[in-house]
Amino acid sequence: GSSLTWLVLGRSMAGFAISLSSMACCIYVSELVGPRQRGVLVSLYEAGITVGILLSYALNYVLARAPWEWRHMFGWAAALALL
């Protein structure tokens, strides 16, 4: 198969998995805490995801002009995932 087909398939599977885990985390938090803290914790979780996506786009923008463009982006993501 072509590289584009595998790329789209892989990205689709990763996106689906991330959406499932995001939904599961919010449900888990809502079941664990009382009603007074529930909104704050779910909002903090969503804000953390949003800020993380913003930072990753900013870092990718900076690294796009670096030598070995996408390899740096992949390496940074892998290093953070290992942590």
Side-chain angles (χ1 to χ4, degrees):
S2 73
S3 296
L4 179 61
T5 303
W6 284 107
L7 176 68
V8 170
L9 182 64
R11 294 289 292 182
S12 297
M13 288 174 49
F16 184 70
I18 289 170
S19 67
L20 281 179
S21 68
S22 292
M23 184 178 64
C25 287
C26 288
I27 292 171
Y28 182 71
V29 166
S30 71
E31 292 293 327
L32 275 182
V33 298
R36 301 185 86 207
Q37 297 90 10
R38 187 175 300 148
V40 172
L41 288 178
V42 171
S43 296
L44 285 174
Y45 175 78
E46 294 296 329
I49 289 174
T50 304
V51 169
I53 290 170
L54 176 66
L55 291 176
S56 70
Y57 276 121
L59 182 62
N60 286 341
Y61 180 76
V62 169
L63 292 175
R65 292 179 182 82
W68 293 36
E69 306 101 3
W70 66 271
R71 291 170 184 89
H72 282 287
M73 296 174 203
F74 182 77
W76 281 87
L80 291 174
L82 288 174
L83 284 176

